[in-house]
Amino acid sequence: MIKKPNIHYCKRCLYPAVSVNLSFNREGVCSACLLQEEMNSLTPAFWEQREAKWKELVTQAKATSESNYDCVVPVSGGKDSYFQVDKAIEYGLKPLLVTYHGNNYLPEGQRNLDRMRSKFGADHIVMGPSIEVLKKLNESCFRLMGDMNWHCHAGIKIFPMQVAVRFKIPLVLWGEITWSVAGMFDMNDYVQYNKRTVYEHDLRGYTIKDIVEKTPGVNEKDLAWLRMPSDHEFADSKTIGLYVGNFFDWNPNKHTEEMIEKYDFELSEQPFERTYRRMSNLDDMHENGIHDYMKFIKFGYGRATDHSSKDVRSGYFDREKALEMVEKYDHVKPRKDLNRWLEYVGMSEEEFDHIADTFRSPKVWWIKDNQWHKQTPRGDVKSYGQVNLSESETEIYFKE
Amino acid sequence: MLKKRIIPVILLRDGKIVQSRRFSRYNILGNPTPAVERISNWMSDELIYIDITDPEDDFAEAADLEVLVQKVAEKCSVPLTFGGGIRDLRSARELLRLGADKITLNTAAFDNPQLIREIATEFGSQCVVVSIDAKPTENGQYEVFKGGHAHTGVSPVEHARAVEKLGAGEILINSIQRDGTGSGFDIDLINRVVNAVSVPVIALGGAGKWEDFAAVLSETDACAVAAANIFQHSENSVHECRKYLFEKEYPVRRHQALSNDNHIL
């Protein structure tokens, strides 16, 4: 017996219960909001202590570094990258910038990336995998997990670690504690980069072997940039990955303003099709485009929910304004972006729509009059386009 | 001298690994199995899985321990303890048959204490671990909370003695107040229990740095130190903990070289 989906939305922001690793308290407030509340109550004295801890770690890294560099900063060229490098330099670390280049940069994003070398006077390694291999990965990962951008998440999380281990660089400075988005970790956990979380959350539980098996014409050598340093190599190079977000208050809107003023950071010239923010994801057009559209297809919410929920939590928006943004953007099929991708990998839109529908969660979507339906954060029900599945493929969904 | 054991604990709630904070707040970490191989490769002495799904939460769905134990046993080369919601001999028997080496009981030690005797009789005392969750009281004593939440009016010392008499082979003592705080183990609580029984005691609750493990080993006669959250926060965590203790000359097995495998997990 298939039950009609009943999505619980956070009473404070707009996060749905289907969001990864989210939990709710008895008042219906989500773990991400509760964490933010805890963060907001932190005093300047708290941040001074954090800074002291940061200084201690930085001093230790400089003292023990056998390399010409004190830290690797993985950079996409975004506002957070700028903030991370800015912090490294402010505290006297010599950084090596490392980029995974997934070939999806917007022109503004590429200019921001290129500008880092001159603005920060830092050395920069860019790893750009073969375009041929990238096209194949885009297609196979879309078919396999509904995520054409898997290579980006995997590449950015692994390649900088390879570089750090190879050059025996003691620190890798990551940015926001991204895994705290749903409240997985607390501030006091001082969580460090760890393979389990990367494997499970960034790599979605797929190894190189799995990907090679599912991607015709790609072998393990083609994916050398995805080989994770062994436990032994990590211990040998004494490399650890820290999150700058653990030591400094993380406020994306404020960071962006600072980075524009100090380093001429550029925002997107064109508005995005699926969100109102113009400062995020300039390194990857699909991240705010079809990659994010797939999140809506799978779980019924998209980046407008992410961005507006964060903005509610940081007091930038009220919930009503967030609802408006979600209603305006979350369901939008990004025309321009989709066309680029279909041409890039050579797929028809019909096939795209069919494969996309196979990833819809039966916990979110149901079928009525051959249309997909789901609950909205306001509590009513709306339809979101036709079903592109065969009769047998619809068996797992509730039908009204 | 007999070596002291280092034991990671994995807490499950609603089918996911969680971090617990004072038995009242939880951070969900992810799926129950990816952690296993890493923890096993890091030379843990044992591994304890406890399902702490709230039995009163209608929306929660406890993990199927019988399915899980098989998956875990396949990837794990260290002794495995399973617990959470075990109420009868049949389920204990099944978990042991499928790959668990020990069973841990908590609520059943109050609701059906004879179960301790039954398991011990059929499989031996070494197979039954009774976990005890305790909290300080206002008058400087401690009280045990059944399933971590229900008052019992019983002190951990009384309870530990009672379950030892029934055949419990080990006691896992956990501090509700220190749980998930990283503020160090409750040495007083551990000492009370260790001094009350002759079976091995495993200390749990409060680990926030490797020094906290050392404190248990130097200030109590516990046979093992266990922790949950801290082993999820950094790379090669159990290995680093062991290395720290070994180099400070605590009686733990020596750490060995780490894996050279370049494939993730």
Side-chain angles (χ1 to χ4, degrees):
Chain A
M1 181 56 192
I2 305 164
K3 278 192 258 175
K4 187 169 171 177
N6 182 12
I7 313 172
H8 179 75
Y9 286 93
C10 176
K11 294 266 186 296
R12 203 176 289 171
C13 72
L14 298 178
Y15 259 33
V18 289
S19 172
V20 176
N21 291 350
L22 199 69
S23 59
F24 290 88
N25 72 4
R26 294 215 164 119
E27 285 76 48
V29 178
C30 79
S31 43
C33 282
L34 294 172
L35 183 71
Q36 183 66 48
E37 195 175 82
E38 220 175 289
M39 306 272 287
N40 291 346
S41 69
L42 299 171
T43 58
F46 171 90
W47 289 113
E48 277 164 28
Q49 274 179 9
R50 288 281 148 151
E51 193 191 0
K53 175 104 182 167
W54 163 261
K55 279 184 184 159
E56 186 189 307
L57 288 161
V58 162
T59 310
Q60 199 188 347
K62 276 200 295 199
T64 57
S65 180
E66 297 167 19
S67 168
N68 292 323
Y69 304 101
D70 302 315
C71 64
V72 161
V73 187
V75 296
S76 63
K79 63 184 188 320
D80 297 344
S81 305
Y82 272 71
F83 183 76
Q84 285 153 243
V85 180
D86 182 62
K87 280 286 173 246
I89 290 174
E90 184 185 338
Y91 289 86
L93 292 168
K94 182 165 177 59
L96 172 61
L97 315 188
V98 178
T99 296
Y100 168 78
H101 199 298
N103 199 36
N104 294 340
Y105 273 81
L106 290 169
E108 300 89 327
Q110 185 69 52
R111 288 199 294 272
N112 282 334
L113 180 68
D114 294 341
R115 192 181 298 114
M116 296 190 88
R117 256 162 79 195
S118 60
K119 289 286 177 188
F120 291 110
D123 299 347
H124 189 183
I125 293 178
V126 180
M127 171 64 210
S130 138
I131 302 292
E132 211 41 49
V133 167
L134 284 180
K135 285 180 181 177
K136 287 174 182 162
L137 288 178
N138 262 271
E139 184 182 349
S140 71
C141 292
F142 173 59
R143 288 179 189 277
L144 184 62
M145 54 189 107
D147 180 5
M148 54 289 285
N149 274 2
W150 182 86
H151 67 97
C152 301
H153 313 294
I156 188 68
K157 277 284 155 45
I158 296 177
F159 186 71
M161 288 315 226
Q162 286 186 0
V163 172
V165 162
R166 190 164 307 153
F167 294 123
K168 295 204 184 306
I169 302 172
L171 282 181
V172 180
L173 297 182
W174 300 94
E176 191 179 10
I177 320 173
T178 47
W179 306 318
S180 77
V181 168
M184 276 170 84
F185 295 104
D186 281 8
M187 285 296 286
N188 288 326
D189 290 345
Y190 285 108
V191 63
Q192 294 179 5
Y193 179 97
N194 66 89
K195 288 186 193 177
R196 183 194 68 79
T197 320
V198 169
Y199 167 73
E200 200 174 337
H201 297 283
D202 298 293
L203 272 65
R204 298 177 180 274
Y206 292 95
T207 64
I208 299 185
K209 278 182 187 163
D210 299 326
I211 300 300
V212 166
E213 203 174 288
K214 300 284 183 191
T215 314
V218 167
N219 63 41
E220 282 207 27
K221 280 188 179 170
D222 294 328
L223 303 182
W225 45 278
L226 268 182
R227 218 172 277 147
M228 179 62 97
S230 69
D231 289 351
H232 185 255
E233 286 172 291
F234 271 121
D236 198 40
S237 65
K238 299 195 177 67
T239 298
I240 57 168
L242 298 179
Y243 290 84
V244 175
N246 236 322
F247 305 94
F248 299 96
D249 194 9
W250 201 263
N251 184 334
N253 292 305
K254 198 170 132 231
H255 293 178
T256 308
E257 281 167 27
E258 280 174 20
M259 296 306 120
I260 292 172
E261 197 180 312
K262 276 174 96 167
Y263 302 111
D264 304 327
F265 180 79
E266 285 181 67
L267 301 181
S268 174
E269 285 167 5
Q270 303 286 322
F272 287 109
E273 290 169 279
R274 292 186 44 76
T275 184
Y276 58 93
R277 274 199 191 176
R278 291 198 194 189
M279 60 190 186
S280 301
N281 307 104
L282 307 182
D283 60 315
D284 191 323
M285 57 185 97
H286 300 316
E287 200 66 21
N288 276 346
I290 46 169
H291 164 77
D292 184 56
Y293 176 66
M294 282 308 298
K295 178 155 116 175
F296 179 74
I297 293 285
K298 289 174 179 175
F299 304 117
Y301 75 104
R303 201 164 293 271
T305 296
D306 290 326
H307 287 164
S308 63
S309 291
K310 281 186 189 178
D311 284 339
V312 165
R313 284 175 215 139
S314 58
Y316 200 67
F317 267 11
D318 62 18
R319 198 170 190 271
E320 184 53 37
K321 173 84 175 161
L323 280 163
E324 282 169 28
M325 290 297 126
V326 167
E327 282 161 356
K328 184 170 174 195
Y329 289 109
D330 250 7
H331 61 285
V332 171
K333 190 173 184 180
R335 283 303 346 152
K336 216 176 103 193
D337 195 63
L338 178 60
N339 290 344
R340 185 262 182 179
W341 191 81
L342 292 173
E343 201 180 313
Y344 187 48
V345 301
M347 187 182 282
S348 72
E349 186 165 348
E350 201 184 354
E351 191 180 6
F352 176 91
D353 286 338
H354 172 246
I355 295 171
D357 266 6
T358 61
F359 289 103
R360 291 203 191 240
S361 166
K363 287 185 177 168
V364 173
W365 299 100
W366 72 89
I367 299 172
K368 185 183 168 191
D369 306 328
N370 203 38
Q371 296 276 318
W372 291 111
H373 284 70
K374 77 167 189 81
Q375 272 171 324
T376 74
R378 284 197 201 269
D380 49 0
V381 171
K382 275 192 187 156
S383 74
Y384 292 90
Q386 69 163 10
V387 177
N388 302 296
L389 297 175
S390 68
E391 193 57 36
S392 66
E393 285 172 322
T394 65
E395 274 169 12
I396 56 170
Y397 299 99
F398 178 80
K399 295 189 182 88
E400 193 171 46
Chain B
M1 186 179 181
L2 207 58
K3 298 284 189 246
K4 305 279 185 170
R5 290 166 285 158
I6 302 169
I7 308 180
V9 176
I10 294 186
L11 300 173
L12 297 172
R13 212 163 173 269
D14 214 2
K16 300 278 189 185
I17 300 183
V18 295
Q19 300 197 68
S20 162
R21 317 276 178 187
R22 292 190 163 138
F23 285 54
S24 62
R25 199 165 66 75
Y26 304 94
N27 306 84
I28 306 177
L29 286 175
N31 294 320
T33 47
V36 177
E37 249 174 312
R38 315 246 341 110
I39 285 173
S40 172
N41 287 344
W42 290 333
M43 245 183 94
S44 303
D45 290 301
E46 296 180 27
L47 178 56
I48 300 177
Y49 267 87
I50 305 178
D51 193 314
I52 54 167
T53 303
D54 182 358
E56 314 220 322
D57 182 350
D58 295 336
F59 295 102
E61 223 173 293
D64 185 335
L65 289 187
E66 292 181 11
V67 172
L68 187 63
V69 74
Q70 294 177 71
K71 281 194 197 162
V72 172
E74 212 173 84
K75 296 186 168 183
C76 191
S77 54
V78 303
L80 275 175
T81 304
F82 264 74
I86 298 170
R87 300 284 185 269
D88 54 41
L89 184 60
R90 192 211 64 83
S91 26
R93 210 182 257 154
E94 200 51 23
L95 289 173
L96 291 165
R97 189 182 71 78
L98 292 170
D101 299 284
K102 304 182 199 180
I103 295 297
T104 174
L105 302 175
N106 185 310
T107 301
F110 286 100
D111 292 353
N112 177 17
Q114 287 311 312
L115 182 58
I116 299 170
R117 195 188 298 275
E118 286 166 22
I119 302 175
T121 308
E122 190 166 326
F123 298 97
S125 271
Q126 85 294 335
C127 213
V128 197
V129 183
V130 170
S131 85
I132 299 177
D133 302 321
K135 206 166 28 182
T137 58
E138 278 169 14
N139 58 8
Q141 300 300 307
Y142 287 90
E143 182 185 353
V144 178
F145 285 73
K146 183 175 84 168
H149 292 282
H151 281 280
T152 64
V154 177
S155 79
V157 165
E158 291 169 275
H159 188 48
R161 282 191 181 133
V163 298
E164 181 186 30
K165 218 171 264 173
L166 286 163
E170 264 180 326
I171 307 286
L172 173 65
I173 180 72
N174 192 3
S175 161
I176 296 173
Q177 198 188 32
R178 302 291 180 97
D179 174 61
T181 62
S183 56
F185 289 87
D186 188 336
I187 299 290
D188 179 26
L189 171 65
I190 297 163
N191 267 326
R192 287 179 193 222
V193 175
V194 169
N195 296 335
V197 294
S198 56
V199 294
V201 173
I202 306 166
L204 174 64
K209 46 190 184 311
W210 308 143
E211 288 90 326
D212 296 334
F213 291 76
V216 173
L217 297 185
S218 56
E219 294 167 41
T220 81
D221 286 325
C223 293
V225 204
N229 301 2
I230 192 174
F231 290 131
Q232 304 280 358
H233 296 163
S234 60
E235 202 61 280
N236 298 333
S237 56
V238 185
H239 172 89
E240 292 298 329
C241 176
R242 179 177 301 285
K243 190 166 159 235
Y244 173 88
L245 294 172
F246 185 84
E247 286 171 355
K248 294 252 183 300
E249 297 183 350
Y250 287 96
V252 294
R253 288 193 298 150
R254 190 197 173 92
H255 52 285
Q256 288 174 0
L258 286 158
S259 158
N260 276 315
D261 191 350
N262 275 119
H263 288 96
I264 190 160
L265 302 182

